[in-house]
Amino acid sequence: MTSDHPGGGSVKPFSKSFVAALTVLCVVLPVLIGCASSAPVRTAAETAGEPLVFRKIAVVSFEKLTSEDGGRAVRCPVSGTVFSTCALPQNAEAIVQDFFIQRLEKSGRFVVIPPYQSDLVYQKVRGENLSESAAQRLRKAGKALEADGIVIGYVSCFRERVGYA
C-alpha cells in the first residue's frame, strides 16, 4: 500500500493490540473522569499551600458496575454520577485494570501497590464499617497502605474494537 502524502512512503495499518489498547483508553478515560468526585478531598499539605505529590499509588481491583434491576443506568458508588451500561464480557474489568496498571507502571512516576496487596486491606476496611461511603473506605485503605493515592475503577460498558479506525 502506498500513501498519497508528499513523502510517498508506505503506510502500515495499526496492530490489533494497538487498536484494542486505544479502544480501552477511549472507554475507560471518560469513565474514570466521570466517576471522579467533583469535590476533591483536601489534605493538610494542600491547605498549607504545599503541592500534593503522588509517589505511591495503591490500585484496588476494578469492578463491574451493573444495574441490580437490569436497567440501562447505574450510579457510581464513589461520586454518585449516573452512567449508561451495556453488556459486559466476563473479564472486562480485568482487561481495563491490566491496561491501567501497565500504563501507570510504564510512566515510571509512581510506585504502584498492586491489587493483590491492596485488596486485602480494602476488604478489611470495607467489612469494619458497612455504613461508610466508598470514598471513606478508600481513604482509610489508602492510609493503612501508606499510599499517597488510591484508585478503584468501575466498568459499566466495554466493547472490543473490531474493524478499521
Side-chain angles (χ1 to χ4, degrees):
M1 171 188 301
T2 58
S3 170
D4 292 335
H5 69 285
S10 65
V11 177
K12 293 183 180 181
F14 292 118
S15 71
K16 287 182 182 180
S17 62
F18 176 78
V19 171
L22 186 60
T23 300
V24 169
L25 183 61
C26 291
V27 171
V28 173
L29 193 56
V31 171
L32 291 176
I33 291 170
C35 203
S37 176
S38 58
V41 178
R42 299 287 178 202
T43 65
E46 286 179 305
T47 56
E50 298 175 28
L52 183 60
V53 178
F54 290 97
R55 291 187 183 96
K56 188 174 179 184
I57 297 179
V59 179
V60 176
S61 287
F62 285 25
E63 299 175 13
K64 287 183 180 179
L65 194 57
T66 57
S67 176
E68 292 176 12
D69 64 0
R72 301 289 297 166
V74 68
R75 186 174 303 277
C76 174
V78 177
S79 70
T81 305
V82 176
F83 295 96
S84 61
T85 62
C86 69
L88 292 171
Q90 188 164 349
N91 61 347
E93 72 281 4
I95 292 169
V96 175
Q97 174 185 295
D98 290 347
F99 180 76
F100 179 80
I101 291 172
Q102 286 173 4
R103 297 298 303 217
L104 199 60
E105 289 174 337
K106 190 176 182 179
S107 75
R109 296 175 51 202
F110 311 103
V111 172
V112 178
I113 302 171
Y116 68 85
Q117 292 175 335
S118 302
D119 286 350
L120 297 172
V121 174
Y122 182 64
Q123 293 305 325
K124 181 180 180 221
V125 168
R126 193 176 191 173
E128 288 175 353
N129 192 343
L130 299 174
S131 65
E132 288 182 329
S133 70
Q136 290 170 320
R137 291 190 300 257
L138 287 166
R139 192 176 303 116
K140 282 185 178 180
K143 281 186 178 185
L145 289 161
E146 298 179 355
D148 300 315
I150 188 163
V151 176
I152 188 169
Y154 296 97
V155 180
S156 63
C157 192
F158 177 88
R159 285 184 292 274
E160 289 277 358
R161 182 154 176 88
V162 179
Y164 297 98

